[in-house]
């Protein structure tokens, strides 16, 4: 595998030869961490099956960074992540039970446009009702917000204004934010047309709520993650969500925009507005992917009546 190549080159003395040729004063490299990674890739202790519910599954390269981040999370948990590619339009046609039964975790990634969205929302509902670990990214978070509104918050017909401009409850809506040089603050306004300049791109800070799942995952109260989206959580409905058991566990400190949502009373149910997969590496796996795979391992072990020996172990 690609993970074995550095070890082979090291064993053949390539790194020593490079040090010699460049006249460097360097000690022999320690590849013990990499040796552990290779062992876990070749001989994982566990296999978990995660459904990736998307609308571009026929073009798997669309999710390349996401797949790599899941692999990193698997290595950290000594588990092989087997992906089940699920077309969200097939869920609309056949039902979530048929398409998602037996999964150890369900991930709904980002995307644009209405095609397949109701299938993604059905996947969210299936994960929530059956206590299956759920992770939503960007649109995956927004689908979780829509499903929670309809099923738990009593907001019939709730939707994103991206998909239904006439929805009675635009729980996800389009806003434009800009920096007001007169007051030195960030201002926001609703916009009903002209999407130009409305996409939120790049890294933004996020403050995590103390005691939340998000805070325990990151081990800190402040993070910075990369974004690529337009539509946002509508804070007008936040109090209704909180009463329904959904927590806004991460917010932008400057604008109050919701970055992370999670459900109480569920073993692992979290959605993020940003794209954490873009910062994951094999030696520094992104924390949410690590904990998502960890939750999937626990769920798989619970199904088979096995104890998960790595739940308390140190992860690389």
């Amino acid at each position: 595998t690609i993970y074995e190549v550095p070890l082979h080159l090291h064993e053949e003395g390539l790194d020593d030869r490079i040090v010699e040729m460049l006249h460097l004063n360097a000690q022999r490299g320690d590849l013990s961490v990499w040796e552990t990674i290779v062992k876990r890739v070749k001989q994982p202790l566990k296999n978990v099956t995660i459904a990736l519910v998307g609308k571009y599954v026929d073009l798997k390269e669309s999710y390349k960074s996401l797949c790599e981040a899941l692999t990193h999370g698997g290595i950290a948990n000594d588990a092989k992540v087997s992906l089940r590619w699920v077309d969200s339009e097939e869920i609309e046609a056949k039902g979530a039970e048929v398409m998602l039964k037996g999964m150890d975790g369900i991930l709904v990634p980002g995307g644009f446009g209405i095609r397949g969205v109701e299938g993604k929302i059905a996947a969210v509902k299936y994960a929530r009702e059956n206590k299956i670990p759920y992770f939503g990214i960007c649109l995956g978070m927004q689908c979780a917000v829509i499903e929670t509104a309809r099923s738990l918050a009593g907001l019939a017909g709730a939707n994103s204004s991206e998909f239904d401009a006439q929805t009675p409850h635009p729980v996800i809506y389009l806003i434009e934010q800009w920096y007001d040089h007169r007051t030195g603050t960030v201002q926001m306004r609703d916009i009903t047309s002209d999407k130009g300049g409305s996409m939120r791109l790049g890294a933004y800070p996020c403050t995590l709520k103390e005691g939340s799942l998000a805070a325990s995952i990151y081990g800190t109260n402040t993070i910075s993650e990369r974004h690529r989206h337009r539509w946002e959580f509508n804070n007008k409905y936040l109090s209704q969500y909180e009463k329904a058991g959904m927590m806004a566990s991460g917010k932008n400190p400057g604008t109050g925009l919701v970055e992370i949502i999670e459900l109480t009373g569920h073993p692992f149910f979290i959605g993020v507005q940003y794209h954490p997969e873009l910062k994951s590496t094999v030696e520094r796996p992104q924390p949410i992917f690590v904990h998502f795979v960890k939750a999937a391992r626990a769920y798989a072990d619970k199904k088979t009546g096995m104890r998960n020996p790595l739940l308390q172990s140190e992860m690389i």
Side-chain angles (χ1 to χ4, degrees):
T1 68
I2 60 171
Y3 297 101
E4 295 178 274
V5 173
L7 289 182
H8 291 322
L9 296 176
H10 175 76
E11 291 167 356
E12 294 169 6
L14 178 62
D15 45 358
D16 293 330
R17 185 63 174 158
I18 291 173
V19 168
E20 177 186 334
M21 294 295 292
L22 296 178
H23 305 288
L24 300 176
N25 182 20
Q27 296 180 345
R28 184 169 177 79
D30 180 6
L31 296 186
S32 58
V33 171
W34 198 257
E35 289 171 352
T36 298
I37 290 172
V38 172
K39 181 179 179 182
R40 291 184 176 187
V41 169
K42 296 183 68 178
Q43 300 173 317
L45 291 180
K46 187 71 179 179
N47 184 85
V48 296
T49 304
I50 291 175
L52 192 155
V53 181
K55 59 172 70 179
Y56 317 123
V57 294
D58 288 336
L59 187 61
K60 294 180 174 58
E61 287 297 306
S62 300
Y63 302 108
K64 182 62 176 178
S65 297
L66 193 56
C67 294
E68 290 299 307
L70 284 168
T71 297
H72 303 160
I75 292 171
N77 285 283
D78 211 343
K80 173 180 172 56
V81 175
S82 297
L83 278 181
R84 175 78 62 82
W85 297 89
V86 180
D87 190 324
S88 57
E89 289 185 283
E90 285 198 57
I91 294 179
E92 293 177 353
K94 301 176 182 178
E97 174 74 18
V98 172
M99 301 299 299
L100 299 173
K101 186 175 181 180
M103 297 297 99
D104 302 318
I106 296 173
L107 188 151
V108 176
F112 291 92
I114 193 172
R115 181 174 63 85
V117 165
E118 288 299 327
K120 291 190 173 193
I121 294 171
V124 173
K125 184 174 183 178
Y126 185 80
R128 179 180 59 79
E129 293 182 337
N130 291 280
K131 305 292 185 182
I132 302 170
Y134 176 79
F135 183 18
I137 297 175
C138 198
L139 178 58
M141 169 197 151
Q142 295 175 3
C143 287
V145 169
I146 295 168
E147 198 285 321
T148 303
R150 296 175 181 177
S151 299
L152 301 181
L155 299 173
N159 212 328
S160 167
S161 59
E162 178 184 6
F163 313 131
D164 180 5
Q166 305 304 317
T167 174
H169 300 293
V171 292
I172 301 294
Y173 75 143
L174 188 62
I175 63 171
E176 184 180 53
Q177 62 180 54
W178 73 98
Y179 184 77
D180 189 332
H181 293 276
R182 296 171 301 172
T183 62
T185 61
V186 174
Q187 303 293 325
M188 293 183 289
R189 66 179 178 182
D190 294 315
I191 54 177
T192 56
S193 62
D194 186 11
K195 301 172 186 175
S198 60
M199 181 172 281
R200 194 146 65 102
L201 294 169
Y204 285 82
C206 176
T207 300
L208 307 182
K209 189 171 183 177
E210 186 175 351
S212 65
L213 173 61
S216 68
I217 287 173
Y218 280 98
T220 182
N221 292 326
T222 304
I223 61 173
S224 176
E225 295 284 1
R226 291 168 62 182
H227 295 66
R228 188 178 184 274
H229 69 281
R230 285 191 177 91
W231 278 263
E232 306 277 359
F233 179 91
N234 190 341
N235 281 331
K236 170 185 174 181
Y237 295 94
L238 184 54
S239 63
Q240 289 165 271
Y241 274 101
E242 291 173 339
K243 292 176 183 177
M246 193 201 79
M247 176 194 305
S249 55
K251 294 182 179 181
N252 181 289
T255 64
L257 293 172
V258 172
E259 304 277 19
I260 307 175
I261 61 96
E262 57 190 71
L263 283 182
T264 57
H266 192 285
F268 190 96
F269 189 107
I270 193 166
V272 300
Q273 186 59 78
Y274 48 84
H275 288 271
E277 69 272 20
L278 300 179
K279 294 177 65 175
S280 187
T281 68
V282 67
E283 290 190 73
R284 294 181 181 275
Q286 218 283 344
I288 296 190
F289 286 93
V290 173
H291 285 263
F292 176 52
V293 176
K294 180 179 177 181
R297 267 205 64 164
Y299 182 82
D301 288 343
K302 184 178 180 180
K303 287 194 302 184
T304 57
M306 295 172 57
R307 177 179 173 272
N308 189 337
L310 288 185
L311 286 181
Q312 302 301 324
S313 66
E314 182 177 353
M315 295 178 289
I316 59 173

